[in-house]
Amino acid sequence: MRKRIWLYTAIIVLIVVIAGIMLYRMRPTAEKAKPFAGQKRIKLSSPQVVGRSQDELHIAWAQLKENGKVVVAIDGKVDSTEYDTIGFILFSPNGKRVAFTAEVDSKWFMVVDGKAVPGFDDICISCITFSPDSKRFAFSALKDNRWFVVLDGKTMPKEGHDFVGNLAFSPDNKHFVYTAGKGDKQSVVLDGKAGQHYNFTGEPVFSPDSKHLAYVAIGSNNPQCVVLDGKEGKKYEGVNKPIFSKDSKHIAYLVSKGNKRFMVMDGKEGPEYEMITTREIFSDVFLFGPNDNRLAYMAGKDQKMIVVVDGKEGNEYDRIGGMGESIVLSPDGKSFAYVANIGEKWFVVTNDKEVPEYDDIVMGTPIFSPDGKRFLYGAREDNKWFIVLDGNAGAEEYDGFGQGAQFSPDSKHFTFTANKDNKWFVVLDGKAGPKYDRLFKPAFTAEGVEYLAESDSIGWLLRCRLSYPKSDGEIEVSEEKISWLPEPSAGSEKPECPSCQRKRK
């Protein structure tokens, strides 16, 4: 009898163990993307039309079907509606809405949220815009040789224009502006009301509080001025696009007079220089500080470059910044930084203080954290690149860096993309994620960072997530399959390392 009891007990234990093993094997795990086997890659339209959201977490493309028609795929999900051509794809600022232009039988459609507005002869792809809150939408279209503005589904004006451009919503989403042409004259149209006519009107600029509007105007005989809230300022030989301070109380713009350049702030003219900014790009000029009344810009003097802050000139350098780079300001307005060069050496200048010299500094850095207390940039010595965080050089070396270096909103974490052995990966708080052939810029979430990646070896476009490092210092990785990779890739071309590929000029 006892032998039978022991036998039954052994059988029950064995069953429980087997069941436990089966349940363990069936437990949910983070799915890892598997290589494709014989799957045909997606074909894109020619020319390629690809759109990405501002945070680069969403992607859409025009996909070519076997019958020659084109459909749109958003994050890998294909809309079955067929078109002859797709012209342009635009995501709303929040990434939740998609608009694109499409052609059928020689007529153009504007498709927003899957709904088409039909019957145009052409649509201006540079005149398509969402409001900052993503709730409103506008575009300009050609019909019977007249240009119209379609705002929130309503076409205006009835008689149309000879020319339309520079469509924009105010920061508070309540106002709408554009430039319009009639014959050889142009005007700025604000909330349906046209302003004074000029030979040329530049891009209108709203103040951050949406209460002011400014633009450059050129009158007869080519005198130029800034028009602020409908009133003309002093006329000059040349005037650049104006900017407002963050508190909307100040306005500044660059002026040319003969061979000289100078800044005008609130009507007051600054000192003259041979040039202001190396590229005449006005984004290099800033109003900043606790009261937003400090003015900073780059200028040329005696064949040297300097940074001017509140009229005070900094040290002279051979070059300042690189292509598309400028002065970097801390969010609290207390600090500024830029990259400068003397001879063959580069260094970062913070509040006029120079840090150690390096062979090069990564394009797109330095950056400040949102609270203004932390500071990061990439640097190169010999042929290796590394990160300098809060003044301390990291021990990890890379072959190069990509775009997207940033701090988290709470300033506690940092991330960047890096390259090693011709593979790309995201680094979060010093910990490297998986390697891929191509990467999109990472974005911070509550749990860590999220980004899109492409792997040629498995043939997938992936949505990847890295968690913040745990107590043991490790990060968790998850991959979500979005779509078979288009052929060629829907992402950027397989990039060379930007920091290795180009020298500052």
Side-chain angles (χ1 to χ4, degrees), residues 228-291:
L228 174 62
D229 298 331
K231 298 180 180 180
E232 296 180 357
K234 184 177 178 179
K235 293 180 172 61
Y236 297 96
E237 293 178 21
V239 179
N240 277 37
K241 177 181 172 182
I243 60 168
F244 286 96
S245 58
K246 292 180 181 179
D247 64 5
S248 303
K249 294 180 180 180
H250 306 280
I251 187 172
Y253 48 90
L254 172 63
V255 166
S256 60
K257 183 180 179 181
N259 294 326
K260 298 297 183 179
R261 305 287 186 271
F262 56 92
M263 295 298 304
V264 175
M265 177 177 170
D266 298 333
K268 184 179 179 180
E269 298 177 356
E272 295 182 349
Y273 293 98
E274 298 167 4
M275 63 187 306
I276 291 183
T277 80
T278 58
R279 296 165 299 280
E280 296 295 319
I281 297 176
F282 208 70
S283 61
D284 289 336
V285 181
F286 295 93
L287 287 162
F288 71 105
N291 298 316

Side-chain angles (χ1 to χ4, degrees), residues 178-476:
Y178 64 94
T179 56
K182 184 177 182 181
D184 59 354
K185 298 294 183 180
Q186 297 181 15
S187 63
V188 170
V189 182
L190 174 62
D191 295 331
K193 297 180 180 180
Q196 186 173 337
H197 288 80
Y198 296 95
N199 289 354
F200 170 82
T201 53
E203 179 184 352
V205 180
F206 281 104
S207 61
D209 65 3
S210 303
K211 295 180 179 179
H212 304 284
L213 183 73
Y215 57 90
V216 174
I218 301 178
S220 57
N221 300 321
N222 288 325
Q224 302 181 21
C225 67
V226 168
V227 179
L228 174 62
D229 298 331
K231 298 180 180 180
E232 296 180 357
K234 184 177 178 179
K235 293 180 172 61
Y236 297 96
E237 293 178 21
V239 179
N240 277 37
K241 177 181 172 182
I243 60 168
F244 286 96
S245 58
K246 292 180 181 179
D247 64 5
S248 303
K249 294 180 180 180
H250 306 280
I251 187 172
Y253 48 90
L254 172 63
V255 166
S256 60
K257 183 180 179 181
N259 294 326
K260 298 297 183 179
R261 305 287 186 271
F262 56 92
M263 295 298 304
V264 175
M265 177 177 170
D266 298 333
K268 184 179 179 180
E269 298 177 356
E272 295 182 349
Y273 293 98
E274 298 167 4
M275 63 187 306
I276 291 183
T277 80
T278 58
R279 296 165 299 280
E280 296 295 319
I281 297 176
F282 208 70
S283 61
D284 289 336
V285 181
F286 295 93
L287 287 162
F288 71 105
N291 298 316
D292 281 337
N293 59 357
R294 303 186 67 191
L295 183 65
Y297 55 90
M298 294 192 294
K301 181 181 179 181
D302 300 327
Q303 304 300 313
K304 296 291 184 178
M305 295 299 300
I306 59 174
V307 166
V308 183
V309 180
D310 296 337
K312 181 182 177 181
E313 297 179 356
N315 296 331
E316 294 183 354
Y317 300 103
D318 295 338
R319 287 179 286 175
I320 293 178
M323 297 299 291
E325 292 183 311
S326 59
I327 308 167
V328 181
L329 304 176
S330 63
D332 59 9
K334 296 180 180 180
S335 302
F336 63 91
Y338 56 91
V339 176
N341 162 270
I342 295 179
E344 295 298 322
K345 288 292 184 178
W346 289 91
F347 40 85
V348 174
V349 182
T350 308
N351 295 336
D352 289 330
K353 296 180 181 179
E354 300 171 0
V355 301
E357 297 179 347
Y358 296 103
D359 291 338
D360 205 350
I361 304 294
V362 173
M363 306 290 288
T365 68
I367 60 171
F368 287 98
S369 61
D371 63 6
K373 297 179 180 180
R374 306 189 70 187
F375 191 62
L376 179 151
Y377 60 92
R380 178 175 65 84
E381 275 295 320
D382 297 324
N383 292 321
K384 288 299 179 181
W385 296 82
F386 50 92
I387 284 291
V388 180
L389 176 65
D390 301 330
N392 300 311
E396 189 69 29
E397 295 181 339
Y398 307 97
D399 295 338
F401 293 106
Q403 303 298 311
Q406 57 189 299
F407 285 96
S408 60
D410 63 4
S411 303
K412 295 180 180 179
H413 307 276
F414 67 95
T415 187
F416 56 90
T417 58
N419 178 282
K420 189 176 282 188
D421 300 326
N422 293 318
K423 293 291 183 179
W424 289 92
F425 50 94
V426 170
V427 179
L428 175 61
D429 292 343
K431 298 292 183 179
K435 296 181 179 180
Y436 301 99
D437 294 290
R438 285 166 293 276
L439 285 178
F440 293 78
K441 185 177 70 175
F444 276 100
T445 66
E447 294 77 25
V449 294
E450 184 175 323
Y451 55 96
L452 297 181
E454 298 180 3
S455 174
D456 291 336
S457 62
I458 63 174
W460 281 103
L461 172 65
L462 306 167
R463 186 182 303 281
C464 306
R465 297 178 179 88
L466 303 182
S467 68
Y468 291 127
K470 306 300 180 183
S471 57
D472 60 1
E474 296 303 314
I475 58 176
E476 292 183 356

